[in-house]
Amino acid sequence: MNRFTLSVSAAIARVTESALGPYQSAMIRIGFSATWLLFLLREFTHRGELYGPDSPWGWELARQLIDTNGAFTLLLWSDGRGWFEAVYALALLSSAALLVGWRTRTMSVLFMVGVLSLQNRSVFMGDGGDNVVHLMAIYLVFTRCGRVWSLDARRERRAADARARGERVTDRVGPVLWGVLGFALVVLTATGGFHSAWTVPALLWAVWSGLGLWWVVGRRARSAEPRILLDVIGNILHNSALVVIMAEACLIYATAGWYKVQGSRWQDGTAVYYPLQLDYFSPWPLLGDLLTSSGTMVLLVTYGTVIVQVAFPFTLFNRRVKNVLLAVMMLEHAAIAVILGLPFFSLAMIATDAVFLPTSFLRRLGGWAARARARLFSPEGRATVPQPRAPENPRPTHVGFEA
């Protein structure tokens, strides 16, 4: 075999044998679920005006739009307040469960359902970050984002320890949850409650059927081959989704940067000045005045924003330069959150950037968080916490409802 063939074989083996980027996918899961959860909690008192029966974009208008574009939302099944409150509660609970990594596979699907249902009900609500959350909620369904930093990972470790001691491990919650969601799918499909194109309902049925098949194979298969095959399919879907997320992030920055290059205000270095003069983007007027008081500062921030956004996709070929620009972009988004008053847009973009963070840094970050949690909750106020490691070739899990 020549060198090219060996390289291709090694690449195929790497893509199929393991779910790559376990820490990066966990950061994306935590980042986007936290962003959406915080947004829903902040707007809880205004939820009816944003997405519910009190919205200026009425139920009939939403129905006419959905009939035209075929977007997915559960809120067109009924225009009653009770149904709206149930969907809003579903969005809140699924976001919280996904954040802590409980039944991650199922919660990623419910998280997507909640995001699409609310956002597609009132398409004119949002600040740009909602578009990113919208896309990432779909991509997360295909990832195995609960391999680390999750309750699923802890439960799987405990189950493995119990099996090693010869104990029998039984999962009762997974089958019950699978049955309840299957019943809901049957009802919605039979009553025409989806009111959308076939894409999202087909995805929901495919995921539900796949989880059931995974459970049956894990319990009934007499050999390891079926489980290995399903694990390979899961790894391919996960790794493909990560590539799509990275490409999406690069596309966002590249298009934003090149569009800015064409603007006259970005060309003359004054573009940053004008948003800071608007009351809507000035929650802290003193900070805005401090930044715009220096023409040199405005010029540097304007040109620096364009340069970083245009250059970032090309820096992926150099790890050190990429990490520097990544830190700059995250700091920039943090500044946007404070100075322009766009916290959820900034959190969504920081969560997207997290897919490019180095694994070594994320593992150290996880270790720091674990030690801080141990000191906070330990009776002695101190604890030695081992730093978790994601196995390079993880064993196929036997718990198919959250893998």
Side-chain angles (χ1 to χ4, degrees):
M1 297 178 67
N2 56 36
R3 183 177 300 178
F4 174 77
T5 305
L6 290 174
S7 300
V8 172
S9 300
I12 293 175
R14 182 170 175 78
V15 170
T16 58
E17 288 180 355
S18 62
L20 303 176
Y23 293 96
Q24 288 79 1
S25 58
M27 282 294 295
I28 296 171
R29 184 198 86 230
I30 294 170
F32 280 101
S33 58
T35 299
W36 185 240
L37 178 62
L38 291 174
F39 174 79
L40 294 179
L41 291 175
R42 190 193 72 169
E43 302 297 343
F44 187 79
T45 57
H46 307 291
R47 61 192 184 281
E49 290 84 359
L50 286 176
Y51 304 113
D54 304 324
S55 174
W57 186 253
W59 190 82
E60 286 297 334
L61 289 173
R63 187 182 185 90
Q64 293 176 25
L65 180 61
I66 296 301
D67 289 341
T68 301
N69 60 20
F72 171 83
T73 176
L74 291 180
L75 290 177
L76 290 187
W77 194 40
S78 170
D79 61 347
R81 179 169 292 276
W83 178 242
F84 164 71
E85 297 292 354
V87 173
Y88 201 90
L90 171 69
L92 279 170
L93 294 175
S94 61
S95 300
L98 187 62
L99 176 64
V100 298
W102 184 78
R103 306 287 165 175
T104 311
R105 175 64 68 203
T106 302
M107 290 305 131
S108 66
V109 176
L110 295 180
F111 176 76
M112 178 193 71
V113 169
V115 170
L116 298 185
S117 294
L118 294 177
Q119 290 188 353
N120 289 337
R121 166 62 177 82
S122 299
V123 295
F124 300 108
M125 303 298 174
D127 54 14
D130 59 309
N131 294 328
V132 181
V133 174
H134 193 104
L135 292 171
M136 296 301 171
I138 299 174
Y139 301 153
L140 272 174
V141 173
F142 299 95
T143 65
R144 308 181 77 170
C145 53
R147 309 290 280 180
V148 297
W149 299 344
S150 68
L151 296 180
D152 286 349
R154 186 181 69 174
R155 184 173 64 253
E156 181 61 23
R157 288 195 300 270
R158 291 179 175 179
D161 293 340
R163 286 192 292 266
R165 294 192 299 267
E167 301 175 6
R168 183 178 180 181
V169 179
T170 303
D171 177 24
R172 295 183 176 88
V173 177
V176 172
L177 187 60
W178 182 82
V180 170
L181 294 178
F183 176 77
L185 276 176
V186 170
V187 171
L188 286 171
T189 303
T191 58
F194 287 113
H195 292 288
S196 66
W198 62 271
T199 312
V200 174
L203 175 60
L204 295 177
W205 275 108
V207 174
W208 182 80
S209 303
L211 293 179
L213 176 62
W214 196 300
W215 185 86
V216 170
V217 169
R219 295 307 188 280
R220 306 300 181 190
R222 296 184 178 181
S223 63
E225 284 78 5
R227 291 194 295 269
I228 293 174
L229 176 61
L230 291 179
D231 205 53
V232 166
I233 294 174
N235 291 335
I236 292 174
L237 290 175
H238 168 90
N239 296 329
S240 300
L242 276 189
V243 172
V244 171
I245 291 173
M246 289 187 285
E248 188 72 40
C250 292
L251 186 62
I252 290 172
Y253 285 118
T255 53
W258 286 108
Y259 272 113
K260 287 181 176 66
V261 168
Q262 301 174 44
S264 59
R265 297 303 180 213
W266 291 96
Q267 292 174 6
D268 61 26
T270 61
V272 171
Y273 173 84
Y274 297 100
L276 295 174
Q277 304 307 306
L278 302 175
D279 292 338
Y280 183 80
F281 292 112
S282 300
W284 312 98
L286 291 178
L287 289 177
D289 293 341
L290 180 63
L291 179 61
T292 57
S293 62
S294 171
T296 302
M297 179 64 69
V298 171
L299 180 70
L300 291 175
V301 173
T302 302
Y303 283 166
T305 299
V306 175
I307 292 171
V308 168
Q309 290 183 347
V310 172
F312 178 72
F314 301 100
T315 64
L316 298 181
F317 300 101
N318 188 300
R319 183 177 302 178
R320 292 183 178 179
V321 178
K322 181 264 295 182
N323 290 340
V324 172
L325 284 190
L326 194 60
V328 170
M329 288 193 302
M330 287 185 167
L331 289 175
E332 179 185 17
H333 289 307
I336 290 174
V338 176
I339 298 175
L340 295 181
L342 297 173
F344 300 107
F345 166 79
S346 298
L347 284 175
M349 292 308 302
I350 291 174
T352 304
D353 295 340
V355 73
F356 299 106
L357 287 173
T359 300
S360 57
F361 170 76
L362 291 176
R363 291 179 59 186
R364 286 197 297 270
L365 183 65
W368 296 334
R371 286 190 289 272
R373 182 186 62 186
R375 293 192 184 97
L376 189 62
F377 295 104
S378 173
E380 295 81 8
R382 59 184 177 84
T384 302
V385 181
Q387 200 162 306
R389 291 189 62 182
E392 295 181 0
N393 296 295
R395 183 180 58 181
T397 178
H398 289 230
V399 187
F401 291 93
E402 76 282 358

